[in-house]
Amino acid sequence: MKLARVIFDIPIERSFYYLCEDSIVPFIRVLAPLGKRRRKGFIIELKEISEKNLEYKWIEKIYDFYPLINEEIFEISKIVSRRYYSSLGQVIFSIIGNFPLRYEKKELKKKKIDSIFPSNNFKKEIYLFNSKKEKLNFYIDLISNTDGSTIFLFPEISILEEYFLEIKERIDRRFLKYYGEMRKKAKFMNYLESMNGENLIIFGTRTAVFLPVPDLNRIVIDSPFDFSYREKKYPKYNAVEVAERRCEYRKIPVIFTSNTLGIKDYYEIKNNRLYLIDKRKFENLPEIFILNKKWEEVDRNIQFLTKFASSLIEENILKGKKVGIIHNRKGSSKTFKCEKCGYILRCKKCDSYLILSDKNTLFCKYCKIYESFKKSCPNCGSKEIIERVVGIEKIYNILKNVYPEFKIQKLTAEEREVKEDIDIFVGTKIISKIMDKFDFGLIIFPHADSFLNIPEYNSEEIFFFIVNEFLWELDKDSKVVIQTKNPNFEIFTSFKNKNFNIFYEKELNIRKLVGYPPFADIMVIEVPLKKSSSFENKVNFLKKNIEKSSAGILFSEIIKDKRGVNKLKMVVKTDIENKPDFEEIMNLKEKLDFKIEINPEVI
């Protein structure tokens, strides 16, 4: 008889003890009573127990023949739990939660994982390529010249499948696919194979970062800046960060492959924590035009384009080239700029430009400062200061009217079916996914400011990524047009001069000034509201707990979620080395049932 320590898929950081038979092993799923219900649990530890101490309840059912994780994955799960303020049970069940409860027993070889750790040191490398073809050849060389198992992480299944088919045809190795949308049985069989196999090449999405591969010798991450690596459900981990932690734990390299750097990457390269191998040739980039959207330059027939941009559309279609017009779906944001004198109101604290928020106040996306808004220009008194940016639907309709002879298609996340004989594609950044299938001669961002005028600290970085996705897929003789009313912003100067360091340095300086990633972490906390004095006391205690560390509350406000539930939303800035105490925060979560996300895509 033994005592099993069991965790459950609940947001509470607590384990429970149950009696069990001597033959049971750790890291398996069981059925056990929890309160008035019976729930699936997971054994994380076994202890000897004397006959005198029998007040514990018994485990009622055992689901697994052998452990589903190893010691390494257990340790990584604990790291993830503390990093993202999530219970260990939530982390473990996010890895193995949807595996079948009934399956055929398969013989697994017993492998001592410590004995097969490589002797290399942990290191981070980022390879930058001109094209997908160069990246493909790099992957093939890497697989051909290394032993042991490698996990390749991709942001989307479509990208995974593309590389999988190309590489599998050229190399004679054992390949596995692993992603969340696989059928349960196939996914589970591949999971067991990863636990039991050797010299495997695994192609997966974010969940594959937890595969218990015993001879893992590296993790390769394609396009690490892609937000698809962030888990949407709780625990909301970032698979790129998890991969780094796992490689550091195993003392193996983590390799990033991309066509551009993020702000964090640039910062780490400067501080010798990330090694850069840049194979790009900037002289092969297409010509980039930064056009000032002055009223006198606007084409009167196509109000959202300058005369120069509309002439390029006609020229490219006559040459048989495709045209892409890229816009985001948040196209109605309002900017504070005087149409008469060009005056832009800037933040008094960080000198960033202010935008008009939904609350009809001026807002700094970096400092999260709100200021009162008077509907007149402080410089010249003009009232012509509001711009409403048109959306994709209006762009599409205007083009259809002006160019009835051209074939035009919308392409968005909701409308993804691509037709072959299209002249102009109008849509979101999703158009970048078809760049290798068509001969694009022109890409236009008609309202670049609408990408930047979103009240998020990383809006410029996101736009920078989007533009780069197109730049490196175009031929040298193609053209990219970026229209803006702020052509002197560093991000546009950076594109115009093909010197991206201008953007990186400016963005790093601002983030250091106001204390944003990579100089600090941002925690977003959402607490469902309740009307009681005890609830208010607990919320105040949470705020005090946050403030007694190096963390500071940037702002808090009452919001409504998609279900109409009122929540208190707090945005907290924390020191990377001195975060709020994990145990105290988890104890408060049990009382207040709030949720935490670290460095989310959108605050």
Side-chain angles (χ1 to χ4, degrees):
M1 183 187 306
K2 290 184 179 179
L3 194 63
R5 185 181 171 200
V6 178
I7 56 176
F8 296 88
D9 187 8
I10 54 178
I12 302 169
E13 183 60 16
R14 191 187 297 179
S15 55
F16 303 84
Y17 287 92
Y18 298 89
L19 294 170
C20 63
E21 300 294 342
D22 288 338
S23 58
I24 207 166
V25 295
F27 301 156
I28 63 172
R29 293 169 298 172
V30 295
L31 184 68
L34 184 65
K36 297 180 180 179
R37 299 174 56 191
R38 298 185 304 162
R39 297 189 63 152
K40 276 190 299 181
F42 189 81
I43 296 178
I44 59 172
E45 187 182 9
L46 292 170
K47 294 182 177 180
E48 298 294 333
I49 187 170
S50 65
E51 293 284 339
K52 298 176 183 179
N53 197 353
L54 299 178
E55 75 272 15
Y56 297 101
K57 295 179 181 179
W58 280 81
I59 283 174
E60 297 184 10
K61 192 172 185 178
I62 299 170
Y63 290 112
D64 299 305
F65 303 110
Y66 24 65
L68 291 183
I69 64 172
N70 53 34
E71 286 289 345
E72 178 196 2
I73 299 304
F74 183 57
E75 292 301 319
I76 296 302
S77 297
K78 289 194 286 186
I79 292 171
V80 171
S81 169
R82 299 186 77 86
R83 166 64 175 154
Y84 299 101
Y85 293 91
S86 178
S87 74
L88 183 58
Q90 285 180 304
V91 177
I92 295 290
F93 276 92
S94 73
I95 302 171
I96 54 93
N98 68 342
F99 290 162
L101 297 175
R102 297 179 181 179
Y103 55 92
E104 186 177 341
K105 187 174 182 180
K106 182 179 180 181
E107 284 301 319
L108 298 182
K109 300 174 186 176
K110 288 187 178 180
K111 298 179 181 179
K112 191 176 179 183
I113 197 164
D114 292 337
S115 65
I116 51 181
F117 270 15
S119 58
N120 344 357
N121 291 322
F122 165 68
K123 61 180 178 178
K124 291 165 60 175
E125 300 174 328
I126 185 163
Y127 289 76
L128 301 181
F129 298 102
N130 291 291
S131 65
K132 287 182 182 177
K133 186 177 180 181
E134 287 186 9
K135 194 189 292 185
L136 172 66
N137 291 333
F138 171 75
Y139 289 165
I140 291 171
D141 289 342
L142 188 67
I143 294 168
S144 302
N145 297 311
T146 55
D147 296 322
S149 294
T150 301
I151 294 177
F152 287 84
L153 297 182
F154 296 92
E156 296 179 15
I157 297 171
S158 59
I159 301 173
L160 180 156
E161 293 286 2
E162 184 180 342
Y163 281 105
F164 181 84
L165 292 173
E166 287 275 1
I167 294 174
K168 191 177 180 183
E169 287 182 359
R170 306 189 195 186
I171 300 178
D172 184 20
R173 290 281 293 271
R174 173 73 173 123
F175 288 86
L176 287 181
K177 289 188 287 187
Y178 191 83
Y179 50 87
E181 290 76 8
M182 293 179 73
R183 291 186 177 181
K184 275 189 180 182
K185 185 176 180 181
K187 183 180 177 183
F188 184 55
M189 289 299 105
N190 283 3
Y191 183 90
L192 294 181
E193 180 65 24
S194 75
M195 185 189 296
N196 196 40
E198 293 179 344
N199 292 316
L200 300 173
I201 305 300
I202 299 168
F203 282 44
T205 53
R206 59 180 177 267
T207 188
V209 74
F210 294 106
L211 287 175
V213 185
D215 66 335
L216 182 66
N217 63 10
R218 67 178 48 80
I219 297 177
V220 181
I221 305 176
D222 180 85
S223 303
F225 56 80
D226 197 297
F227 288 111
S228 297
Y229 288 116
R230 298 169 186 266
E231 176 57 56
K232 306 300 185 293
K233 301 176 183 177
Y234 285 90
K236 291 192 174 184
Y237 63 85
N238 182 340
V240 176
E241 286 188 350
V242 177
E244 290 184 30
R245 300 291 191 279
R246 185 173 182 187
C247 289
E248 188 174 12
Y249 178 85
R250 285 190 67 99
K251 297 182 173 59
I252 59 174
V254 58
I255 297 173
F256 306 123
T257 61
S258 181
N259 53 31
T260 191
L261 297 172
I263 299 299
K264 180 186 175 185
D265 301 325
Y266 183 78
Y267 175 72
E268 292 196 328
I269 289 167
K270 287 188 68 172
N271 289 277
N272 299 314
R273 295 201 289 264
L274 177 64
Y275 183 64
L276 171 65
I277 303 94
D278 195 344
K279 297 179 176 292
R280 299 173 300 175
K281 296 178 181 178
F282 280 79
E283 64 270 19
N284 291 338
L285 281 179
E287 192 170 3
I288 305 171
F289 296 91
I290 307 298
L291 303 184
N292 192 339
K293 286 177 64 180
K294 295 180 180 178
W295 176 247
E296 59 268 24
E297 298 295 332
V298 172
D299 187 320
R300 296 297 182 265
N301 294 320
I302 312 175
Q303 303 118 18
F304 59 88
L305 290 180
T306 58
K307 298 169 187 175
F308 180 72
S310 61
S311 68
L312 287 179
I313 289 179
E314 297 165 15
E315 177 186 317
N316 272 270
I317 293 176
L318 287 174
K319 289 180 180 178
K321 304 273 190 178
K322 307 291 184 186
V323 175
I325 298 180
I326 318 302
H327 191 39
N328 58 353
R329 286 196 114 11
K330 300 176 182 177
S332 59
S333 59
K334 303 172 186 178
T335 58
F336 184 85
K337 181 181 177 180
C338 178
E339 293 290 306
K340 185 176 180 180
C341 71
Y343 180 84
I344 300 174
L345 190 61
R346 292 183 175 270
C347 176
K348 296 173 184 176
K349 184 176 180 181
C350 71
D351 202 39
S352 299
Y353 61 89
L354 299 172
I355 65 172
L356 192 63
S357 73
D358 294 336
K359 300 176 181 178
N360 209 38
T361 56
L362 291 170
F363 179 75
C364 175
K365 63 180 179 178
Y366 295 104
C367 303
K368 303 297 180 186
I369 291 174
Y370 289 90
E371 295 184 14
S372 60
F373 175 55
K374 297 178 181 179
K375 295 184 178 180
S376 61
C377 174
N379 187 49
C380 70
S382 170
K383 295 184 182 297
E384 298 178 20
I385 56 175
I386 301 300
E387 176 195 8
R388 289 186 179 272
V389 181
V390 298
I392 289 173
E393 188 70 34
K394 189 169 183 179
I395 292 174
Y396 172 77
N397 289 330
I398 291 173
L399 289 174
K400 291 282 283 184
N401 288 330
V402 175
Y403 298 121
E405 70 277 19
F406 294 160
K407 293 183 178 178
I408 305 169
Q409 181 186 345
K410 285 183 293 182
L411 200 63
T412 65
E414 295 76 23
E415 302 171 86
R416 301 187 66 160
E417 186 178 348
V418 181
K419 298 173 184 176
E420 294 292 329
D421 57 346
I422 298 300
D423 299 309
I424 304 173
F425 290 97
V426 181
T428 60
K429 66 176 183 176
I430 203 168
I431 291 175
S432 66
K433 308 301 181 187
I434 63 168
M435 295 290 288
D436 56 345
K437 296 179 175 64
F438 298 98
D439 184 13
F440 278 87
L442 176 64
I443 295 294
I444 300 176
F445 291 87
H447 300 296
D449 299 331
S450 71
F451 287 88
L452 308 184
N453 293 337
I454 299 170
E456 302 298 338
Y457 76 93
N458 57 349
S459 60
E460 288 195 23
E461 183 180 20
I462 293 170
F463 180 65
F464 185 78
F465 287 147
I466 292 170
V467 174
N468 270 275
E469 284 186 61
F470 290 93
L471 283 179
W472 296 102
E473 289 298 325
L474 289 167
D475 295 331
K476 185 178 180 180
D477 60 350
S478 299
K479 292 178 176 60
V480 173
V481 171
I482 300 175
Q483 297 186 158
T484 173
K485 291 191 174 182
N486 306 287
N488 295 323
F489 279 10
E490 286 86 346
I491 188 170
F492 301 127
T493 305
S494 182
F495 284 130
K496 183 178 180 179
N497 297 336
K498 297 181 183 178
N499 180 0
F500 295 168
N501 287 356
I502 296 172
F503 166 68
Y504 293 134
E505 288 294 336
K506 170 259 179 182
E507 191 71 8
L508 266 185
N509 288 336
I510 288 180
R511 293 196 188 185
K512 185 175 183 179
L513 178 67
V514 298
Y516 272 84
F519 300 97
D521 279 334
I522 300 298
M523 293 173 59
V524 177
I525 303 173
E526 291 187 2
V527 188
L529 288 180
K530 296 178 182 177
K531 291 183 178 180
S532 71
S533 57
S534 63
F535 174 82
E536 290 179 6
N537 290 335
K538 290 171 186 174
V539 170
N540 289 332
F541 188 72
L542 170 62
K543 290 180 178 179
K544 288 178 182 178
N545 186 280
I546 290 169
E547 290 169 346
K548 80 176 183 181
S549 67
S550 63
I553 299 173
L554 294 179
F555 68 91
S556 62
E557 60 181 351
I558 307 298
I559 63 167
K560 280 190 177 182
D561 65 13
K562 294 178 180 179
R563 297 175 297 173
V565 177
N566 286 326
K567 292 183 177 182
L568 172 66
K569 179 179 180 179
M570 288 188 288
V571 176
V572 178
K573 183 171 62 177
T574 75
D575 187 275
I576 290 176
E577 301 298 329
N578 186 19
K579 299 182 178 66
D581 184 76
F582 175 78
E583 281 77 16
E584 290 186 11
I585 291 293
M586 295 306 291
N587 286 336
L588 285 168
K589 279 185 74 175
E590 185 173 346
K591 298 171 184 175
L592 288 173
D593 189 30
F594 58 85
K595 293 180 178 179
I596 295 179
E597 189 171 1
I598 307 295
N599 295 333
E601 175 185 357
V602 176
I603 292 178

